[in-house]
PDB file of all heavy atoms in Angstrom:
ATOM      1  N   LEU C  23     131.444 -16.995  26.690  1.00  0.00           N
ATOM      2  CA  LEU C  23     131.517 -16.101  27.746  1.00  0.00           C
ATOM      3  C   LEU C  23     132.871 -15.506  27.931  1.00  0.00           C
ATOM      4  O   LEU C  23     133.084 -14.254  28.079  1.00  0.00           O
ATOM      5  CB  LEU C  23     131.091 -16.762  29.155  1.00  0.00           C
ATOM      6  CG  LEU C  23     129.567 -16.795  29.354  1.00  0.00           C
ATOM      7  CD1 LEU C  23     129.282 -17.521  30.578  1.00  0.00           C
ATOM      8  CD2 LEU C  23     128.958 -15.312  29.480  1.00  0.00           C
ATOM      9  N   ILE C  24     133.819 -16.447  27.841  1.00  0.00           N
ATOM     10  CA  ILE C  24     135.252 -16.038  27.963  1.00  0.00           C
ATOM     11  C   ILE C  24     135.565 -15.074  26.843  1.00  0.00           C
ATOM     12  O   ILE C  24     136.150 -13.899  27.083  1.00  0.00           O
ATOM     13  CB  ILE C  24     136.165 -17.176  28.023  1.00  0.00           C
ATOM     14  CG1 ILE C  24     136.041 -17.969  29.281  1.00  0.00           C
ATOM     15  CG2 ILE C  24     137.681 -16.797  27.775  1.00  0.00           C
ATOM     16  CD1 ILE C  24     136.656 -19.290  29.311  1.00  0.00           C
ATOM     17  N   LEU C  25     135.180 -15.288  25.710  1.00  0.00           N
ATOM     18  CA  LEU C  25     135.457 -14.468  24.593  1.00  0.00           C
ATOM     19  C   LEU C  25     134.776 -13.158  24.815  1.00  0.00           C
ATOM     20  O   LEU C  25     135.279 -12.013  24.429  1.00  0.00           O
ATOM     21  CB  LEU C  25     134.842 -15.064  23.294  1.00  0.00           C
ATOM     22  CG  LEU C  25     135.720 -16.178  22.588  1.00  0.00           C
ATOM     23  CD1 LEU C  25     135.041 -16.726  21.325  1.00  0.00           C
ATOM     24  CD2 LEU C  25     137.182 -15.624  22.212  1.00  0.00           C
ATOM     25  N   TRP C  26     133.629 -13.083  25.330  1.00  0.00           N
ATOM     26  CA  TRP C  26     132.844 -11.891  25.642  1.00  0.00           C
ATOM     27  C   TRP C  26     133.639 -11.077  26.606  1.00  0.00           C
ATOM     28  O   TRP C  26     133.711  -9.817  26.493  1.00  0.00           O
ATOM     29  CB  TRP C  26     131.468 -12.284  26.202  1.00  0.00           C
ATOM     30  CG  TRP C  26     130.644 -11.073  26.417  1.00  0.00           C
ATOM     31  CD1 TRP C  26     130.175 -10.578  27.634  1.00  0.00           C
ATOM     32  CD2 TRP C  26     130.023 -10.260  25.416  1.00  0.00           C
ATOM     33  NE1 TRP C  26     129.441  -9.486  27.416  1.00  0.00           N
ATOM     34  CE2 TRP C  26     129.228  -9.263  26.077  1.00  0.00           C
ATOM     35  CE3 TRP C  26     130.059 -10.314  23.998  1.00  0.00           C
ATOM     36  CZ2 TRP C  26     128.549  -8.270  25.408  1.00  0.00           C
ATOM     37  CZ3 TRP C  26     129.249  -9.279  23.342  1.00  0.00           C
ATOM     38  CH2 TRP C  26     128.540  -8.298  24.004  1.00  0.00           C
ATOM     39  N   ILE C  27     134.098 -11.662  27.643  1.00  0.00           N
ATOM     40  CA  ILE C  27     134.928 -10.964  28.650  1.00  0.00           C
ATOM     41  C   ILE C  27     136.153 -10.360  27.941  1.00  0.00           C
ATOM     42  O   ILE C  27     136.477  -9.123  28.237  1.00  0.00           O
ATOM     43  CB  ILE C  27     135.369 -11.913  29.891  1.00  0.00           C
ATOM     44  CG1 ILE C  27     134.201 -12.257  30.703  1.00  0.00           C
ATOM     45  CG2 ILE C  27     136.429 -11.281  30.729  1.00  0.00           C
ATOM     46  CD1 ILE C  27     134.384 -13.442  31.559  1.00  0.00           C
ATOM     47  N   ILE C  28     136.762 -11.180  27.213  1.00  0.00           N
ATOM     48  CA  ILE C  28     137.980 -10.571  26.511  1.00  0.00           C
ATOM     49  C   ILE C  28     137.526  -9.458  25.576  1.00  0.00           C
ATOM     50  O   ILE C  28     138.263  -8.396  25.607  1.00  0.00           O
ATOM     51  CB  ILE C  28     138.635 -11.752  25.597  1.00  0.00           C
ATOM     52  CG1 ILE C  28     139.250 -12.770  26.552  1.00  0.00           C
ATOM     53  CG2 ILE C  28     139.738 -11.096  24.680  1.00  0.00           C
ATOM     54  CD1 ILE C  28     139.747 -13.957  25.825  1.00  0.00           C
ATOM     55  N   ARG C  29     136.450  -9.568  25.009  1.00  0.00           N
ATOM     56  CA  ARG C  29     136.071  -8.426  24.261  1.00  0.00           C
ATOM     57  C   ARG C  29     135.741  -7.220  24.993  1.00  0.00           C
ATOM     58  O   ARG C  29     136.116  -6.019  24.637  1.00  0.00           O
ATOM     59  CB  ARG C  29     134.821  -8.820  23.481  1.00  0.00           C
ATOM     60  CG  ARG C  29     134.619  -8.049  22.145  1.00  0.00           C
ATOM     61  CD  ARG C  29     133.273  -7.998  21.618  1.00  0.00           C
ATOM     62  NE  ARG C  29     133.080  -6.627  21.086  1.00  0.00           N
ATOM     63  CZ  ARG C  29     131.897  -6.046  20.978  1.00  0.00           C
ATOM     64  NH1 ARG C  29     130.869  -6.650  21.265  1.00  0.00           N
ATOM     65  NH2 ARG C  29     131.861  -4.848  20.433  1.00  0.00           N
ATOM     66  N   LEU C  30     135.127  -7.456  26.168  1.00  0.00           N
ATOM     67  CA  LEU C  30     134.776  -6.317  27.005  1.00  0.00           C
ATOM     68  C   LEU C  30     136.113  -5.652  27.456  1.00  0.00           C
ATOM     69  O   LEU C  30     136.118  -4.377  27.658  1.00  0.00           O
ATOM     70  CB  LEU C  30     134.010  -6.758  28.252  1.00  0.00           C
ATOM     71  CG  LEU C  30     132.567  -7.023  28.065  1.00  0.00           C
ATOM     72  CD1 LEU C  30     131.938  -7.492  29.281  1.00  0.00           C
ATOM     73  CD2 LEU C  30     131.919  -5.749  27.633  1.00  0.00           C
ATOM     74  N   LEU C  31     137.091  -6.542  27.823  1.00  0.00           N
ATOM     75  CA  LEU C  31     138.342  -5.989  28.336  1.00  0.00           C
ATOM     76  C   LEU C  31     139.127  -5.118  27.247  1.00  0.00           C
ATOM     77  O   LEU C  31     139.628  -4.163  27.572  1.00  0.00           O
ATOM     78  CB  LEU C  31     139.254  -7.092  28.777  1.00  0.00           C
ATOM     79  CG  LEU C  31     138.958  -7.659  30.133  1.00  0.00           C
ATOM     80  CD1 LEU C  31     139.880  -8.903  30.344  1.00  0.00           C
ATOM     81  CD2 LEU C  31     139.174  -6.705  31.178  1.00  0.00           C
ATOM     82  N   PHE C  32     138.975  -5.541  26.092  1.00  0.00           N
ATOM     83  CA  PHE C  32     139.771  -4.923  25.046  1.00  0.00           C
ATOM     84  C   PHE C  32     139.005  -3.904  24.145  1.00  0.00           C
ATOM     85  O   PHE C  32     139.536  -3.324  23.220  1.00  0.00           O
ATOM     86  CB  PHE C  32     140.428  -6.008  24.135  1.00  0.00           C
ATOM     87  CG  PHE C  32     141.631  -6.571  24.872  1.00  0.00           C
ATOM     88  CD1 PHE C  32     141.464  -7.731  25.487  1.00  0.00           C
ATOM     89  CD2 PHE C  32     142.808  -5.935  24.996  1.00  0.00           C
ATOM     90  CE1 PHE C  32     142.367  -8.408  26.116  1.00  0.00           C
ATOM     91  CE2 PHE C  32     143.805  -6.604  25.663  1.00  0.00           C
ATOM     92  CZ  PHE C  32     143.703  -7.804  26.358  1.00  0.00           C
ATOM     93  N   SER C  33     137.776  -3.724  24.475  1.00  0.00           N
ATOM     94  CA  SER C  33     137.168  -2.760  23.584  1.00  0.00           C
ATOM     95  C   SER C  33     136.577  -1.566  24.451  1.00  0.00           C
ATOM     96  O   SER C  33     136.324  -1.757  25.638  1.00  0.00           O
ATOM     97  CB  SER C  33     135.864  -3.498  22.846  1.00  0.00           C
ATOM     98  OG  SER C  33     134.937  -3.733  23.800  1.00  0.00           O
ATOM     99  N   LYS C  34     136.429  -0.516  23.801  1.00  0.00           N
ATOM    100  CA  LYS C  34     135.770   0.577  24.551  1.00  0.00           C
ATOM    101  C   LYS C  34     134.298   0.371  24.411  1.00  0.00           C
ATOM    102  O   LYS C  34     133.703   0.149  23.376  1.00  0.00           O
ATOM    103  CB  LYS C  34     136.129   1.868  23.802  1.00  0.00           C
ATOM    104  CG  LYS C  34     137.283   2.598  24.316  1.00  0.00           C
ATOM    105  CD  LYS C  34     137.462   3.934  23.745  1.00  0.00           C
ATOM    106  CE  LYS C  34     138.819   4.568  23.982  1.00  0.00           C
ATOM    107  NZ  LYS C  34     139.179   5.560  22.994  1.00  0.00           N
ATOM    108  N   THR C  35     133.666   0.397  25.609  1.00  0.00           N
ATOM    109  CA  THR C  35     132.302   0.033  25.566  1.00  0.00           C
ATOM    110  C   THR C  35     131.405   1.336  25.308  1.00  0.00           C
ATOM    111  O   THR C  35     130.319   1.178  24.612  1.00  0.00           O
ATOM    112  CB  THR C  35     131.847  -0.622  26.975  1.00  0.00           C
ATOM    113  OG1 THR C  35     132.408   0.269  27.933  1.00  0.00           O
ATOM    114  CG2 THR C  35     132.266  -1.889  27.076  1.00  0.00           C
ATOM    115  N   TYR C  36     131.884   2.393  25.740  1.00  0.00           N
ATOM    116  CA  TYR C  36     131.128   3.557  25.473  1.00  0.00           C
ATOM    117  C   TYR C  36     132.019   4.771  25.045  1.00  0.00           C
ATOM    118  O   TYR C  36     133.161   4.727  25.426  1.00  0.00           O
ATOM    119  CB  TYR C  36     130.334   4.010  26.662  1.00  0.00           C
ATOM    120  CG  TYR C  36     131.199   4.217  27.863  1.00  0.00           C
ATOM    121  CD1 TYR C  36     131.538   5.551  28.235  1.00  0.00           C
ATOM    122  CD2 TYR C  36     131.528   3.248  28.758  1.00  0.00           C
ATOM    123  CE1 TYR C  36     132.307   5.770  29.156  1.00  0.00           C
ATOM    124  CE2 TYR C  36     132.396   3.479  29.891  1.00  0.00           C
ATOM    125  CZ  TYR C  36     132.740   4.764  30.099  1.00  0.00           C
ATOM    126  OH  TYR C  36     133.522   5.093  31.152  1.00  0.00           O
ATOM    127  N   LYS C  37     131.488   5.779  24.361  1.00  0.00           N
ATOM    128  CA  LYS C  37     132.391   6.818  24.006  1.00  0.00           C
ATOM    129  C   LYS C  37     132.371   7.880  25.156  1.00  0.00           C
ATOM    130  O   LYS C  37     131.247   8.238  25.552  1.00  0.00           O
ATOM    131  CB  LYS C  37     131.893   7.480  22.748  1.00  0.00           C
ATOM    132  CG  LYS C  37     132.470   6.691  21.498  1.00  0.00           C
ATOM    133  CD  LYS C  37     132.155   7.514  20.277  1.00  0.00           C
ATOM    134  CE  LYS C  37     132.832   6.768  19.104  1.00  0.00           C
ATOM    135  NZ  LYS C  37     132.189   7.080  17.939  1.00  0.00           N
ATOM    136  N   LEU C  38     133.533   8.386  25.476  1.00  0.00           N
ATOM    137  CA  LEU C  38     133.598   9.357  26.559  1.00  0.00           C
ATOM    138  C   LEU C  38     132.924  10.642  26.123  1.00  0.00           C
ATOM    139  O   LEU C  38     132.262  11.335  26.806  1.00  0.00           O
ATOM    140  CB  LEU C  38     135.025   9.653  27.014  1.00  0.00           C
ATOM    141  CG  LEU C  38     135.617   8.763  28.050  1.00  0.00           C
ATOM    142  CD1 LEU C  38     137.191   9.021  28.024  1.00  0.00           C
ATOM    143  CD2 LEU C  38     135.010   9.241  29.428  1.00  0.00           C
ATOM    144  N   GLN C  39     133.120  10.892  25.011  1.00  0.00           N
ATOM    145  CA  GLN C  39     132.578  12.133  24.402  1.00  0.00           C
ATOM    146  C   GLN C  39     132.261  12.013  23.074  1.00  0.00           C
ATOM    147  O   GLN C  39     132.903  11.295  22.333  1.00  0.00           O
ATOM    148  CB  GLN C  39     133.714  13.166  24.576  1.00  0.00           C
ATOM    149  CG  GLN C  39     133.160  14.587  24.778  1.00  0.00           C
ATOM    150  CD  GLN C  39     134.316  15.613  25.014  1.00  0.00           C
ATOM    151  OE1 GLN C  39     135.530  15.214  25.029  1.00  0.00           O
ATOM    152  NE2 GLN C  39     133.980  16.914  24.957  1.00  0.00           N
ATOM    153  N   GLU C  40     131.152  12.532  22.654  1.00  0.00           N
ATOM    154  CA  GLU C  40     130.788  12.585  21.262  1.00  0.00           C
ATOM    155  C   GLU C  40     131.702  13.476  20.531  1.00  0.00           C
ATOM    156  O   GLU C  40     131.590  14.732  20.604  1.00  0.00           O
ATOM    157  CB  GLU C  40     129.227  12.920  21.101  1.00  0.00           C
ATOM    158  CG  GLU C  40     128.743  12.382  19.765  1.00  0.00           C
ATOM    159  CD  GLU C  40     128.673  10.942  19.622  1.00  0.00           C
ATOM    160  OE1 GLU C  40     128.403  10.332  20.641  1.00  0.00           O
ATOM    161  OE2 GLU C  40     128.836  10.472  18.633  1.00  0.00           O
ATOM    162  N   ARG C  41     132.610  12.884  19.743  1.00  0.00           N
ATOM    163  CA  ARG C  41     133.543  13.838  19.109  1.00  0.00           C
ATOM    164  C   ARG C  41     133.428  13.719  17.543  1.00  0.00           C
ATOM    165  O   ARG C  41     133.400  12.618  17.071  1.00  0.00           O
ATOM    166  CB  ARG C  41     135.047  13.457  19.395  1.00  0.00           C
ATOM    167  CG  ARG C  41     135.562  14.215  20.603  1.00  0.00           C
ATOM    168  CD  ARG C  41     137.081  14.017  20.656  1.00  0.00           C
ATOM    169  NE  ARG C  41     137.641  14.853  19.619  1.00  0.00           N
ATOM    170  CZ  ARG C  41     138.663  15.550  19.692  1.00  0.00           C
ATOM    171  NH1 ARG C  41     139.175  15.774  20.906  1.00  0.00           N
ATOM    172  NH2 ARG C  41     139.212  16.231  18.654  1.00  0.00           N
ATOM    173  N   SER C  42     133.253  14.776  17.033  1.00  0.00           N
ATOM    174  CA  SER C  42     133.285  14.741  15.614  1.00  0.00           C
ATOM    175  C   SER C  42     134.112  15.994  15.147  1.00  0.00           C
ATOM    176  O   SER C  42     133.654  17.052  15.349  1.00  0.00           O
ATOM    177  CB  SER C  42     131.814  14.894  15.000  1.00  0.00           C
ATOM    178  OG  SER C  42     131.226  15.940  15.476  1.00  0.00           O
ATOM    179  N   ASP C  43     135.166  15.655  14.567  1.00  0.00           N
ATOM    180  CA  ASP C  43     136.071  16.742  14.112  1.00  0.00           C
ATOM    181  C   ASP C  43     135.375  17.465  12.912  1.00  0.00           C
ATOM    182  O   ASP C  43     134.627  16.918  12.141  1.00  0.00           O
ATOM    183  CB  ASP C  43     137.351  16.251  13.706  1.00  0.00           C
ATOM    184  CG  ASP C  43     138.225  15.869  14.862  1.00  0.00           C
ATOM    185  OD1 ASP C  43     138.139  16.588  15.879  1.00  0.00           O
ATOM    186  OD2 ASP C  43     138.993  14.947  14.737  1.00  0.00           O
ATOM    187  N   LEU C  44     135.579  18.749  12.904  1.00  0.00           N
ATOM    188  CA  LEU C  44     135.068  19.549  11.772  1.00  0.00           C
ATOM    189  C   LEU C  44     135.646  19.255  10.501  1.00  0.00           C
ATOM    190  O   LEU C  44     136.896  19.020  10.450  1.00  0.00           O
ATOM    191  CB  LEU C  44     135.131  21.063  12.250  1.00  0.00           C
ATOM    192  CG  LEU C  44     134.505  21.549  13.477  1.00  0.00           C
ATOM    193  CD1 LEU C  44     134.960  22.999  13.750  1.00  0.00           C
ATOM    194  CD2 LEU C  44     133.000  21.505  13.337  1.00  0.00           C
ATOM    195  N   THR C  45     134.873  19.291   9.515  1.00  0.00           N
ATOM    196  CA  THR C  45     135.577  19.123   8.197  1.00  0.00           C
ATOM    197  C   THR C  45     136.124  20.458   7.762  1.00  0.00           C
ATOM    198  O   THR C  45     135.743  21.453   8.341  1.00  0.00           O
ATOM    199  CB  THR C  45     134.529  18.725   7.233  1.00  0.00           C
ATOM    200  OG1 THR C  45     133.562  19.825   7.077  1.00  0.00           O
ATOM    201  CG2 THR C  45     133.707  17.407   7.668  1.00  0.00           C
ATOM    202  N   GLU C  46     136.951  20.334   6.750  1.00  0.00           N
ATOM    203  CA  GLU C  46     137.651  21.495   6.207  1.00  0.00           C
ATOM    204  C   GLU C  46     136.590  22.532   5.784  1.00  0.00           C
ATOM    205  O   GLU C  46     136.781  23.753   6.135  1.00  0.00           O
ATOM    206  CB  GLU C  46     138.475  21.137   5.037  1.00  0.00           C
ATOM    207  CG  GLU C  46     139.848  20.792   5.353  1.00  0.00           C
ATOM    208  CD  GLU C  46     140.522  21.695   6.342  1.00  0.00           C
ATOM    209  OE1 GLU C  46     140.439  22.938   6.032  1.00  0.00           O
ATOM    210  OE2 GLU C  46     140.899  21.179   7.506  1.00  0.00           O
ATOM    211  N   LYS C  47     135.511  22.058   5.186  1.00  0.00           N
ATOM    212  CA  LYS C  47     134.556  23.037   4.681  1.00  0.00           C
ATOM    213  C   LYS C  47     133.863  23.693   5.851  1.00  0.00           C
ATOM    214  O   LYS C  47     133.755  25.012   5.811  1.00  0.00           O
ATOM    215  CB  LYS C  47     133.534  22.162   3.882  1.00  0.00           C
ATOM    216  CG  LYS C  47     132.636  23.175   3.072  1.00  0.00           C
ATOM    217  CD  LYS C  47     132.012  22.357   1.892  1.00  0.00           C
ATOM    218  CE  LYS C  47     130.886  23.136   1.330  1.00  0.00           C
ATOM    219  NZ  LYS C  47     129.619  22.996   1.959  1.00  0.00           N
ATOM    220  N   GLU C  48     133.611  23.019   6.939  1.00  0.00           N
ATOM    221  CA  GLU C  48     132.929  23.615   8.040  1.00  0.00           C
ATOM    222  C   GLU C  48     133.803  24.658   8.580  1.00  0.00           C
ATOM    223  O   GLU C  48     133.496  25.769   9.013  1.00  0.00           O
ATOM    224  CB  GLU C  48     132.657  22.666   9.146  1.00  0.00           C
ATOM    225  CG  GLU C  48     131.361  21.832   8.683  1.00  0.00           C
ATOM    226  CD  GLU C  48     131.178  20.636   9.569  1.00  0.00           C
ATOM    227  OE1 GLU C  48     132.185  19.960   9.938  1.00  0.00           O
ATOM    228  OE2 GLU C  48     129.996  20.321   9.872  1.00  0.00           O
TER     229      GLU C  48
END
Side-chain angles (χ1 to χ4, degrees):
Chain C
L23 277 173
I24 288 166
L25 284 176
W26 184 251
I27 287 167
I28 291 169
R29 206 202 140 203
L30 280 179
L31 280 175
F32 286 95
S33 72
K34 265 188 197 160
T35 47
Y36 58 92
K37 277 190 175 163
L38 268 168
Q39 207 178 352
E40 200 64 40
R41 268 193 70 130
S42 57
D43 284 328
L44 297 169
T45 63
E46 268 318 301
K47 194 157 165 272
E48 284 168 323

